[in-house]
Amino acid sequence: MAALFTTPKRNDATAGTHVAEPDVRRRIGLAHGSWRRVTRRIVAGAVCALTVSSLLMPSVSLAAEWVKVGGNKYNTAASDEAGTWSWDGADDLKLNNYNGGEIQAAGKLNVNYSGTNIVTADWIEGIKASHGTNENAELNIQGDAGSTLSVTSTEDAILSTGNINIDGAGSVNATSTGSDAINAGGDLAIKGSGNVNATGASDGIRANGNITIDDSGAVTARATEDKGIGTDKNLTIKGGGTVEASSADGEALWSGGNINISDGSQVKASSEKDAAVEAKGSLAATNASLNVNGVEYGVYAHKGITLDHANVTVRAGKGRYGGAIALFTYQDDIVVKNGSTVDAFAEGEVSAAFSTRNDRPNEKGGHIYISDSVVKAIARYVENGDGPTPYSENQDGETRREPQGENIGIVAQTSEGIMPATISIVRSKVTAEGDTAAIFALAMSADGKTIGTIKIENAAIQTPEGGKVIDYRKLRDGIYEAGQAIGTGDATVDSLYIKAVAKSTTIAPPEVAKPEDPKPDETKPAESKQNPKPEGSKPTKAVAASTTKAKTTGVLAATGDTSGAAIVATVLAGTAAIAAGTMASRKRS
């Protein structure tokens, strides 16, 4: 089990850098991260220069000092004879069926478009606002319903060295064949009910500041070499619209701070070679849906994951070192609550559907809390196929571990000096599977007194038959590994690669019907993800919880004050609320 107990390095790396490490066993682990590529753009010098220049500017943007339209510079109000564009000499530039070259300005510029507008630029930004002599850069773009603004460039398609605000009911299409589609040196906000499509050779949408998407329309961001949507600070998605981010060679969603998704928003993130979602801070999905498909990691949030009344589907395929984790946090906890439905699947030589760990005394972490929700967590060596045998018997009957494969559905781990790892399941339906173990909580210490625990309240272990919380203890290289797993029998085990440790388990409140859970490889349309069918209505009798207690603090409760029907009603009501859009999507003009 050495691969379980390595320390993540991805968390320690500077944001935006990747550090490749040797030795798949030590490097990947179930709680171990990696940077797999060197950032393609070195921006420190440019950022410093922009920061210094912005400090020298006034704090308020007044108006554009000049504008360039199609290569021609204007210092006073101007327009063309055809009426496709006009500038009032101050803030406002109007476009009406414009079809021409680049648009640039110094200071603040408001671009208001109507009709069909096309901006084409080679070796220069399509639309750009830069700091002027006396005014800070600020670029505001707004269009009417039915209107479009399409910007194509070999450089950044839309750029501001200050803030960018995109508003209205129109459609903005930004395409860069050599750089970023939309790039803000400050904050970036997308509001209204319109659509934004950003396709970049590098980033799709990026900002040095915060990114806020408060839009009831649709935002789509695609990247070839870097991030679909990336911000050095916080990423906030709300407004009840849809956001789809993808990358061929980077994270789909990346934040140097926190990621918050709420207000009925529907988010889809996919990466072909990297984590689909990564936050240096925390990830929170509240009254929202999240569909994630990544490589090595589905979601990697360094400071905690909270899923509150959320509908979440996460897939993680194996990375180049053979590992995969669907939901992972380091130095904080995973919390699933209030009627959330979560379907997490990971496929790799070393894999976990849910994983959290902590080895730093001054940090939180290493705990998983699931309450009033429906969770499916599966980790496989190979999704479709036999894969490795997790345990085998020699001719003499001795059971020993196979040399490959460490796959656990739900795992939590802590080290000495930290509150012991805990996996808590309360009034919830949890299906967990792993080639090695279904559920495992582990604490490591020098004296063996610290023990990882599994606590089950107002629910019972339905499978395996006779299933219970069993103890695990092993002394390895002078360090005690002590914890609990779901299994059978009364003996304390010292290996997960034995039949006594359950490879599959179902935990549910009494009288809860067995749901028709989606298959790991199920790829239904978005409608099925956002509007999952209720669980079956035919009740099945829960297997009575064992009255034999583990020697440590595992808790089993076969009955509780809350009825099974009420529990299921709470979960399904939450799911239905998301599907019905009761998060009050806000329509804006």
Side-chain angles (χ1 to χ4, degrees):
M1 300 302 294
L4 287 171
F5 314 131
T6 53
T7 301
K9 297 291 173 44
R10 183 169 189 152
N11 185 68
D12 300 330
T14 303
T17 62
H18 292 263
V19 180
E21 298 176 32
D23 189 350
V24 60
R25 282 293 172 186
R26 300 186 176 217
R27 204 204 65 75
I28 186 70
L30 286 178
H32 201 249
S34 68
W35 297 108
R36 289 167 304 285
R37 56 185 170 78
V38 176
T39 301
R40 290 166 172 76
R41 298 155 63 225
I42 307 301
V43 298
V47 171
C48 291
L50 288 174
T51 303
V52 172
S53 64
S54 65
L55 291 174
L56 297 175
M57 297 290 178
S59 59
V60 178
S61 298
L62 301 176
E65 297 176 4
W66 52 260
V67 300
K68 283 184 179 180
V69 180
N72 297 315
K73 184 176 181 179
Y74 303 92
N75 295 303
T76 58
S79 63
D80 70 342
E81 293 182 358
T84 63
W85 69 270
S86 63
W87 177 48
D88 66 356
D91 293 349
D92 297 335
L93 175 70
K94 297 184 183 299
L95 302 179
N96 184 11
N97 294 315
Y98 174 82
N99 188 347
E102 73 277 6
I103 295 171
Q104 299 195 353
K108 177 181 178 180
L109 182 67
N110 302 326
V111 177
N112 296 280
Y113 64 92
S114 59
T116 301
N117 302 271
I118 300 173
V119 178
T120 305
D122 291 325
W123 308 112
I124 193 170
E125 294 81 7
I127 297 179
K128 177 182 178 181
S130 56
H131 294 311
T133 304
N134 299 309
E135 287 86 29
N136 282 331
E138 181 181 322
L139 178 59
N140 303 308
I141 299 174
Q142 185 169 4
D144 303 326
S147 298
T148 61
L149 172 63
S150 299
V151 185
T152 303
S153 176
T154 54
E155 302 298 319
D156 290 342
I158 298 174
L159 170 67
S160 172
T161 54
N163 297 336
I164 295 178
N165 298 290
I166 300 175
D167 203 345
S171 296
V172 175
N173 305 311
T175 303
S176 172
T177 58
S179 192
D180 302 328
I182 302 176
N183 183 1
D187 295 336
L188 190 153
I190 298 174
K191 299 179 290 183
S193 59
N195 300 325
V196 174
N197 299 288
T199 301
S202 186
D203 293 319
I205 297 173
R206 75 168 310 276
N208 289 346
N210 298 303
I211 292 180
T212 300
I213 299 175
D214 188 358
D215 188 288
S216 59
V219 175
T220 303
R222 303 179 182 88
T224 300
E225 296 180 355
D226 218 318
K227 301 167 179 61
I229 299 176
T231 171
D232 292 345
K233 294 187 179 179
N234 298 319
L235 171 60
T236 301
I237 299 174
K238 56 183 180 177
T242 62
V243 175
E244 183 171 348
S246 61
S247 177
D249 195 20
E251 298 86 353
L253 295 180
W254 188 91
S255 171
N258 302 323
I259 296 178
N260 292 289
I261 304 169
S262 64
D263 199 19
S265 297
Q266 302 176 39
V267 177
K268 184 175 182 180
S270 62
S271 175
E272 297 177 17
K273 293 184 179 179
D274 215 317
V277 179
E278 180 171 0
K280 289 294 183 179
S282 63
L283 169 76
T286 306
N287 298 332
S289 67
L290 178 62
N291 191 318
V292 172
N293 197 324
V295 174
E296 188 166 344
Y297 295 95
V299 174
Y300 187 138
H302 295 245
K303 296 294 183 179
I305 297 171
T306 300
L307 307 177
D308 185 351
H309 194 188
N311 189 351
V312 178
T313 300
V314 185
R315 297 289 183 267
K318 65 179 180 180
R320 65 177 181 176
Y321 293 101
I325 304 177
L327 288 167
F328 176 63
T329 188
Y330 180 54
Q331 300 176 14
D332 217 302
D333 303 326
I334 297 177
V335 179
V336 181
K337 60 183 180 179
N338 293 337
S340 293
T341 59
V342 182
D343 182 357
F345 177 84
E347 176 191 12
E349 179 181 341
V350 179
S351 62
F354 279 56
S355 177
T356 178
R357 66 156 296 156
N358 187 21
D359 55 9
R360 299 187 179 184
N362 296 324
E363 301 285 350
K364 298 189 298 180
H367 314 106
I368 297 173
Y369 303 101
I370 301 171
S371 62
D372 302 298
S373 297
V374 175
V375 169
K376 185 174 183 179
I378 298 177
R380 291 280 186 237
Y381 186 93
V382 178
E383 179 174 1
N384 297 311
D386 295 334
T389 303
Y391 54 86
S392 63
E393 292 185 358
N394 295 332
Q395 293 181 353
D396 59 2
E398 180 185 357
T399 301
R400 62 173 57 180
R401 167 188 169 184
E402 289 293 310
Q404 58 181 346
E406 293 178 10
N407 316 101
I408 301 178
I410 300 174
V411 58
Q413 177 190 333
T414 54
S415 298
E416 189 172 17
I418 300 169
M419 187 170 73
T422 300
I423 298 173
S424 175
I425 299 171
V426 180
R427 296 182 303 274
S428 296
K429 171 66 182 289
V430 175
T431 301
E433 297 179 16
D435 291 338
T436 306
I439 301 177
F440 184 45
L442 175 70
M444 302 171 66
S445 63
D447 58 10
K449 295 181 179 180
T450 305
I451 302 169
T453 58
I454 298 173
K455 298 182 179 180
I456 303 173
E457 300 177 11
N458 297 107
I461 298 174
Q462 294 184 340
T463 60
E465 184 176 357
K468 63 180 71 175
V469 175
I470 64 174
D471 293 339
Y472 168 92
R473 178 175 290 269
K474 186 178 184 67
L475 179 63
R476 189 195 304 271
D477 299 327
I479 299 296
Y480 284 96
E481 302 167 1
Q484 294 183 330
I486 301 298
T488 56
D490 298 325
T492 297
V493 301
D494 62 0
S495 172
L496 299 183
Y497 296 87
I498 58 175
K499 293 180 180 180
V501 176
K503 316 306 176 187
S504 176
T505 186
T506 300
I507 299 168
E511 300 179 1
V512 170
K514 184 178 180 181
E516 296 179 1
D517 289 314
K519 298 178 181 179
D521 58 348
E522 188 173 13
T523 55
K524 292 184 179 180
E527 179 181 357
S528 66
K529 301 297 184 182
Q530 314 308 330
N531 302 285
K533 295 181 180 180
E535 296 186 17
S537 58
K538 184 179 180 180
T540 57
K541 186 176 180 181
V543 177
S546 171
T547 57
T548 303
K549 294 184 178 180
K551 296 180 181 179
T552 50
T553 58
V555 177
L556 283 176
T559 61
D561 296 333
T562 305
S563 70
I567 296 164
V568 174
T570 300
V571 175
L572 296 183
T575 304
I578 296 175
T582 55
M583 286 68 68
S585 301
R586 292 169 294 187
K587 303 293 182 180
R588 297 176 178 79
S589 57

